[in-house]
Amino acid sequence: MRWNRNEGDRPSVRLPFTDRAEAGRVLAEWLVPLDLDGAVVLALPRGGVPVAFEVARRLSAPGRPAPLDVLVTRKIGYPRQPELGVGAIAEGGEPVFDHDLLARLSLEEADLAGTVEAERAELVRRVRAYRGDRPLPALKGRSVIVVDDGLATGGTARAALRAVRRRGPSRLVLAVPVGAAETVRAMEREADEVVVLAAPWSFRAVGQWYRRFEQLSDGDVIGLLDRYAAREAAARGTDR
């Protein structure tokens, strides 16, 4: 895992970040030395997309833009308190549950079957909204960077990393601007490398580490993906 150190020409990290775009630009500078040319950048929507946009832009070489796409995830909430995540699911993967939390709530995975199916349906809807009929880029044998705007409990990131791992990448990197220290350490078991700029122990929510942390819409996500696709097409000298 790489922690924030003032090494070489890498920018120092000052919290809070102004917004997700600034966080993405700083994060990208910490990724540049890792020899990730040609890596596929996968953003966890919605909040991870502005961060990943800056990462992919910085990692692009002349005439060879880094592929950018989304990997859609959904939280599986406790039915009585939906905001309490007891698991998560990512496209192409199976549900990943927090079994310690399930035990404390006296729940079995089977008790959440209805919730899981509802989240699968919403996941399919979002995949269609963001990508249409276009599949994910090929990941087998390639470096893949999974990007989010932060890590709180890490449930969706864990589900995303396991879904990507099933596709056979040669190297799997998780990159986030900020994360709860315990969660960041837990992610070391899920990725080949975790790059985090700051991992404070006093961590209530991802949004506390940003001055501007507005909620994003599906339209915001699609707009950023379209902007990047236009940039890719221009770099390659082709029409989209």
Side-chain angles (χ1 to χ4, degrees):
M1 178 173 64
R2 292 183 179 249
W3 294 89
N4 169 33
R5 307 182 194 88
N6 293 332
E7 298 176 355
D9 295 329
R10 294 178 188 174
S12 60
V13 178
R14 294 188 180 130
L15 297 176
F17 299 108
T18 300
D19 55 18
R20 293 179 179 94
E22 183 207 34
R25 288 191 291 271
V26 179
L27 182 61
E29 295 303 324
W30 284 81
L31 290 166
V32 166
L34 301 188
D35 191 24
L36 290 164
D37 290 348
V40 178
V41 180
L42 294 180
L44 302 191
R46 299 180 178 113
V49 178
V51 182
F53 182 96
E54 299 296 336
V55 168
R57 182 185 62 79
R58 181 65 178 87
L59 295 182
S60 294
R64 189 185 173 197
L68 171 67
D69 215 321
V70 290
L71 182 74
V72 182
T73 61
R74 291 295 298 169
K75 178 174 67 177
I76 299 170
Y78 177 39
R80 296 182 182 178
Q81 187 181 342
E83 287 305 309
L84 176 60
V86 296
I89 187 170
E91 58 175 303
E94 295 299 319
V96 176
F97 292 100
D98 183 336
H99 289 100
D100 290 339
L101 182 54
L102 289 183
R104 291 199 297 273
L105 294 171
S106 300
L107 285 174
E108 301 287 341
E109 290 184 20
D111 298 327
L112 297 162
T115 302
V116 169
E117 287 309 305
E119 295 302 342
R120 281 189 191 276
E122 176 60 15
L123 188 150
V124 169
R125 184 198 72 79
R126 291 201 184 194
V127 169
R128 287 176 179 161
Y130 299 154
R131 198 183 299 122
D133 295 328
R134 177 172 51 83
L136 273 172
L139 305 182
K140 186 174 179 62
R142 302 179 72 176
S143 295
V144 178
I145 310 170
V146 174
V147 180
D148 205 356
D149 56 7
L151 287 173
T153 65
T156 53
R158 183 176 289 107
L161 290 168
R162 292 185 185 181
V164 172
R165 184 74 79 182
R166 290 174 55 150
R167 294 174 178 263
S170 60
R171 185 179 181 190
L172 180 55
V173 178
L174 174 65
V176 295
V178 64
E182 287 187 24
T183 303
V184 170
R185 293 191 184 280
M187 289 299 108
E188 292 180 16
R189 298 190 294 269
E190 305 291 344
D192 298 318
E193 188 155 17
V194 177
V195 179
V196 59
L197 303 180
W201 286 100
S202 177
F203 195 104
R204 297 188 305 276
V206 173
Q208 79 183 99
W209 307 106
Y210 290 83
R211 289 193 183 94
R212 294 200 299 273
F213 195 71
E214 66 278 5
Q215 292 298 311
L216 302 178
S217 67
D218 285 352
D220 293 324
V221 171
I222 294 165
L224 282 167
L225 294 176
D226 284 348
R227 276 178 58 197
Y228 196 82
R231 187 178 183 279
E232 280 188 298
R236 292 192 171 103
T238 62
D239 294 328
R240 188 181 173 193

